[in-house]
Amino acid sequence: MNRKYRKTVIAANWKMNKTPSDTKAFMTEFKAMMPKGRWCDVAICVPAVCIPAAVRAMRETRVGIGAENCNANASGAYTGEIATNMLVDAGCKYVIIGHSERRAMGETDAEVNAKVQAALAAELIPILCVGESLEQREIGITEEWITMQIKAALNGVAEEKIRKIIIAYEPIWAIGTGKTATPEQAEEVCEHIRTVIRKLYGAKIARATSILYGGSMNEKNAFELLAQPDIDGGLIGGASLVPEKFVKIIEAANQPTV
């Protein structure tokens, strides 16, 4: 982390877990044990039906609530989809875009780009996910693949808008598998992501862009991962469902930096 130039962000991704009632109970317990430090921004991205309960519960805190997906269209005949203006009106500040699980359902790079543009237009903060499969890592195309994903996702995004985007590196082979990239592996890719942003938008913007690690970060490995200079936080899955574990990760993000 480097707080001199950019924000440290710990973001929860609940995926398809918890009901609105569960959400209220979680937030009550979480608020009681939240760290008091101000070094770290906290986002909790929840299923759509849980957004109102999460917003109500965290209204008087600095925790931002986010959605796990959005549709790029403002309105129309898209049954079951949720537009960005709906998320804003519901109280969302963040939205996850391009998660590997959504991509596995058929989401294309063009759709990811359209969602990024729509989120920015609605003044949501996109958490843009990129990452490689085990096969892509083993054949040595991790950097090429992630470069392509970033360029596709940010196509047409103006310089003044890029400052609002958070990028999350999520190695697909480390999501929900119990496997985690070593701190050195994670840092290597996050450093590469910053290099790509530097080539696209210049050194100043690259230095200010928060890059999260999202491959099975938990309360046991968070401190070491977050000590890396180009890892500015985490996109937390399973560990974010348990208040005690999520708080420990936030505490790890509040470690001193050089």
Side-chain angles (χ1 to χ4, degrees):
M1 299 179 292
N2 188 327
R3 294 195 188 89
K4 180 179 179 181
Y5 295 113
R6 49 192 176 263
K7 291 182 177 180
T8 302
V9 182
I10 298 297
N13 176 18
W14 280 7
K15 306 189 180 185
M16 197 174 72
N17 291 290
K18 296 193 183 295
T19 64
S21 297
D22 295 334
T23 300
K24 182 179 178 181
F26 174 96
M27 297 303 180
T28 299
E29 188 176 349
F30 175 64
K31 281 194 294 186
M33 59 179 71
M34 272 179 61
K36 304 302 181 185
R38 289 184 170 272
W39 295 341
C40 171
D41 284 2
V42 177
I44 302 181
C45 299
V46 302
V49 296
C50 298
I51 290 170
V55 170
R56 281 194 301 271
M58 305 309 285
R59 198 179 302 279
E60 296 180 2
T61 72
R62 294 181 297 106
V63 175
I65 302 303
E68 299 177 1
N69 186 34
C70 66
N71 190 281
N73 297 282
S75 62
Y78 304 100
T79 301
E81 293 295 299
I82 301 175
T84 55
N85 66 320
M86 297 174 182
L87 297 177
V88 171
D89 195 67
C92 284
K93 181 178 179 181
Y94 300 88
V95 59
I96 297 172
I97 297 175
H99 192 282
S100 61
E101 291 162 0
R102 299 295 311 176
R103 293 178 190 259
M105 295 176 196
E107 187 170 83
T108 66
D109 288 318
E111 288 171 330
V112 170
N113 176 246
K115 290 180 180 185
V116 167
Q117 300 270 19
L120 290 169
E123 299 190 352
L124 287 164
I125 299 173
I127 301 175
L128 169 64
C129 299
V130 298
E132 83 284 16
S133 67
L134 181 60
E135 180 183 10
Q136 288 158 347
R137 172 165 281 272
E138 288 179 340
I139 64 176
I141 61 169
T142 294
E143 291 189 356
E144 291 88 343
W145 182 260
I146 288 174
T147 298
M148 179 274 295
Q149 286 186 316
I150 293 171
K151 287 183 175 180
L154 299 183
N155 182 39
V157 175
E159 183 175 314
E160 64 271 16
K161 294 283 189 178
I162 189 66
R163 297 172 183 274
K164 298 181 180 180
I165 292 178
I166 295 168
I167 299 177
Y169 167 53
E170 43 151 20
I172 299 169
W173 49 272
I175 299 174
T177 63
K179 297 179 179 178
T180 309
T182 65
E184 293 75 22
Q185 287 174 320
E187 166 62 19
E188 182 180 21
V189 179
C190 290
E191 182 182 14
H192 172 70
I193 291 170
R194 203 172 306 284
T195 299
V196 175
I197 299 299
R198 184 181 301 113
K199 290 178 180 178
L200 292 174
Y201 294 98
K204 187 175 181 180
I205 289 176
R207 198 164 50 230
T209 299
S210 295
I211 300 173
L212 316 184
Y213 174 72
S216 295
M217 182 184 286
N218 56 49
E219 73 282 5
K220 296 177 181 177
N221 60 29
F223 190 95
E224 192 173 6
L225 285 163
L226 293 168
Q228 303 302 310
D230 288 290
I231 299 178
D232 305 306
L235 180 59
I236 316 301
S240 72
L241 298 170
V242 182
E244 296 88 345
K245 293 181 178 181
F246 193 48
V247 165
K248 287 181 180 177
I249 296 171
I250 295 168
E251 290 172 343
N254 285 339
Q255 66 183 273
T257 59
V258 177

